Amino acid sequence: MTLEAHVTQGPLTTEAGAPVADNQNSETAGAGGPVLVQDQLLLEKLAHFNRERIPERVVHARGAGAYGTFTLTRDVSRWTRAAFLSEVGKRTETFLRFSTVAGNLGSADAVRDPRGFALKFYTEEGNYDLVGNNTPVFFIKDAIKFPDFIHTQKRDPYTGSQEADNVWDFWGLSPESTHQVTWLFGDRGIPASYRHVNGYGSHTYQWNNAAGEVFWVKYHFKTDQGIRNLTTEEAVRLSGVDPDSHQRDLREAIERGDFPSWTVQVQIMPAAEAATYRFNPFDLTKVWPHEDYPPVEIGRLELNRNPQNVFAEVEQSVFSPAHFVPGVGPSPDKMLQGRLFAYGDAHRYRVGINAGHLPVNRPHATEARTHARDGALYDGRHDGAKNYEPNSFGGPVQTDRPLWQAVPVDGHTGNSAAPAHAEDDDFVQAGDLYRLMSEDEKERLIANLAGFIAKVSRDDIAERAVRNFRLADGDFGKRLDAAVQALRG
């Protein structure tokens, strides 16, 4: 594939545009003397090189991305007034970033870890970001626990390595993680490629229609390539032979015209049903069973264009679940509420206050009209326009129509757990998932879990970890306990 050239032919220049006479030899005091500080090309190149990287993402550091299109295939105007969902056949440009969660930027792709599925829709009403994973649930249900959880997945401050003790100590003391851990150590824990995973919005979001009616929704992106996974043994080998396997597979598929696609579905719950639903519909550790709210197919997502520069378009891409458009909004999901702040704040630190000006991040189908000015790398786009509102100089004005509908709240302020619903507990859905598996799938799940639990140094941590799975399903716990004991001697 021939990449489009963006640097014109002609003399090599400095960053200021002056021609470079010699790019092979630095300037010295005589043929064998020391280098001179007046060699500004040398200093410019070294100074730029020292600053070429920005801090990697704390989570989702390792990733790949591609551009594509979302095509609406079903009329959904009865549920949402979002313009990009307004007409069957309407196409919206997108950018999708896949990632692993816990590993550093230089880690391998083929590891047991959730896969991030962060999707940006470049709509005519502004960018809409849907930031999810390849699993429909997560390890925790409240964002106040997120820093603690991620600390257990990252390197221990004393050993400098990921420690089984930390991972299982936290999971064992956080029973709500049992459902997601069952997903993670099952067959889907190590995808064969990014093209062969489903994507999920995971959280519950609000849709609201032109009449002001509210619906709660969950997004599902079902891979048209089919689910494909790796065994632990296959992943270990592939990680050593080709640590860039997922990134390479995605890029090469698009280069040869084998465009990956996903069928897009939503589950839709009328707002009035949320309070009495058998599970808390805003609990990120739970799914809505399909028999309760069958998925409705609404569109197709296709990836068909690779980035031309990975750093500029993948590393510097930013996503925030706070980027809504009219007709779409948040829910009382406590994890989502924390992410509404945390994602944008992370990118303001990592990429900079003007990250939204970069081509991959700025709106493509409309124009951002704000009064925000200045900061590092501000491009002067506002010229001499006034930087306040209201003003009488023709500046942009508010619409007086919120993007989403208000929802009623009551009670007292305080540190409260989310309300429990009739069938809420931390184990029921993990047990349901286990019982859906074939015998072969159960055996692999137990082997994967036992191999990791057996690495902990303390018996009480191992026993607590097994206990959570026993509470999910008696057979699950009994078999896992026997497998752990066999490995621990």
Side-chain angles (χ1 to χ4, degrees):
M1 179 180 179
T2 301
L3 300 181
E4 181 183 353
H6 293 282
V7 179
T8 59
Q9 297 296 312
L12 179 69
T13 75
T14 66
E15 292 180 22
V20 171
D22 188 342
N23 195 45
Q24 317 306 317
N25 305 288
S26 53
E27 189 175 352
T28 60
V35 172
L36 299 178
V37 73
Q38 72 181 35
D39 188 342
Q40 289 302 296
L41 176 63
L42 170 67
L43 300 188
E44 178 182 274
K45 290 179 67 177
L46 293 178
H48 190 284
F49 179 78
N50 286 342
R51 294 162 175 81
E52 283 181 358
R53 291 294 168 261
I54 58 178
E56 66 177 47
R57 291 167 167 86
V58 177
V59 288
H60 298 277
R62 174 77 173 180
Y67 295 93
T69 54
F70 167 74
T71 303
L72 188 70
T73 58
R74 182 190 180 107
D75 181 5
V76 296
S77 58
R78 61 180 287 199
W79 298 302
T80 178
R81 58 188 171 96
F84 82 104
L85 299 173
S86 63
E87 183 180 348
V88 172
K90 189 163 189 175
R91 303 179 73 193
T92 301
E93 184 186 2
T94 62
F95 181 77
L96 175 58
R97 184 178 186 271
F98 302 94
S99 56
T100 52
V101 176
N104 299 110
L105 184 59
S107 59
D109 286 338
V111 294
R112 188 172 299 281
D113 202 11
R115 298 304 188 272
F117 194 95
L119 182 61
K120 187 182 299 293
F121 297 87
Y122 299 101
T123 91
E124 64 266 49
E125 296 178 301
N127 290 350
Y128 172 42
D129 290 353
L130 185 61
V131 186
N133 285 323
N134 72 321
T135 59
V137 293
F138 195 60
F139 299 92
I140 53 176
K141 62 182 74 174
D142 193 315
I144 202 167
K145 297 179 71 170
F146 188 75
D148 301 291
F149 164 60
I150 294 300
H151 288 165
T152 72
Q153 306 298 300
K154 291 289 189 176
R155 299 180 186 276
D156 180 87
Y158 173 67
T159 68
S161 303
Q162 187 190 57
E163 296 296 336
D165 278 6
N166 301 355
V167 173
W168 286 108
D169 191 35
F170 181 87
W171 284 346
L173 293 168
S174 304
E176 69 207 69
S177 68
T178 307
H179 190 191
Q180 170 72 325
V181 175
T182 304
W183 270 90
L184 180 60
F185 284 83
D187 282 355
R188 296 193 183 188
I190 314 178
S193 82
Y194 288 135
R195 295 183 298 126
H196 294 92
V197 297
N198 288 343
Y200 300 90
S202 301
H203 296 289
T204 299
Y205 293 93
Q206 183 195 113
W207 274 6
N208 59 89
N209 63 19
E213 296 174 300
V214 170
F215 303 88
W216 301 118
V217 300
K218 283 184 176 290
Y219 296 91
H220 305 257
F221 297 77
K222 297 302 183 74
T223 174
D224 295 330
Q225 291 69 238
I227 295 290
R228 284 183 52 199
N229 305 295
L230 301 172
T231 65
T232 300
E233 295 73 23
E234 290 171 334
V236 168
R237 183 193 64 80
L238 184 58
S239 294
V241 172
D242 184 9
D244 300 324
S245 58
H246 286 27
Q247 299 188 36
R248 188 186 316 282
D249 175 86
L250 179 65
R251 184 186 70 250
E252 292 180 350
I254 294 173
E255 285 177 349
R256 66 177 179 262
D258 183 10
F259 301 143
S261 64
W262 287 259
T263 297
V264 185
Q265 303 172 339
V266 291
Q267 289 178 282
I268 302 170
M269 175 189 293
E273 298 179 13
T276 57
Y277 184 50
R278 58 194 179 111
F279 301 112
N280 178 359
F282 311 116
D283 181 349
L284 185 56
T285 68
K286 302 285 196 307
V287 297
W288 300 354
H290 290 186
E291 62 265 28
D292 294 347
Y293 295 97
V296 176
E297 182 176 327
I298 67 165
R300 183 174 183 269
L301 173 69
E302 177 185 89
L303 300 182
N304 47 38
R305 180 164 65 91
N306 283 317
Q308 297 297 294
N309 184 287
V310 172
F311 178 78
E313 299 167 83
V314 180
E315 287 309 301
Q316 291 193 126
S317 64
V318 302
F319 300 84
S320 171
H323 291 169
F324 294 113
V325 292
V328 185
S331 77
D333 178 341
K334 295 182 79 173
M335 268 299 296
L336 174 60
Q337 292 285 318
R339 295 175 84 202
L340 296 179
F341 162 75
Y343 272 60
D345 188 59
H347 298 314
R348 284 186 284 271
Y349 156 71
R350 194 179 64 86
V351 185
I353 194 63
N354 287 308
H357 292 188
L358 297 171
V360 69
N361 298 321
R362 66 188 179 215
H364 289 192
T366 187
E367 176 187 3
R369 294 180 291 274
T370 77
H371 294 294
R373 299 288 192 278
D374 308 336
L377 301 182
Y378 174 61
D379 59 9
R381 64 181 55 195
H382 299 88
D383 297 323
K386 302 299 182 184
N387 64 345
Y388 59 89
E389 194 280 331
N391 72 55
S392 59
F393 292 87
V397 296
Q398 66 191 39
T399 66
D400 293 321
R401 187 174 188 189
L403 305 188
W404 57 84
Q405 293 296 112
V407 295
V409 296
D410 58 32
H412 300 280
T413 61
N415 299 95
S416 304
H421 288 231
E423 297 183 33
D424 276 343
D425 71 34
D426 292 325
F427 308 107
V428 60
Q429 292 197 354
D432 290 342
L433 179 59
Y434 175 79
R435 288 183 288 274
L436 283 174
M437 296 179 181
S438 68
E439 183 59 29
D440 287 346
E441 289 174 320
K442 290 178 180 178
E443 289 181 1
R444 289 190 293 269
L445 168 66
I446 289 166
N448 293 334
L449 284 167
F452 195 15
I453 296 174
K455 294 179 180 179
V456 304
S457 64
R458 287 169 35 188
D459 290 341
D460 63 312
I461 295 177
E463 291 166 1
R464 192 162 50 237
V466 172
R467 174 183 176 273
N468 285 344
F469 298 104
R470 183 180 293 113
L471 291 171
D473 183 274
D475 177 70
F476 191 0
K478 179 179 179 181
R479 293 170 63 174
L480 180 59
D481 184 50
V484 171
Q485 292 301 324
L487 290 172
R488 288 174 67 83

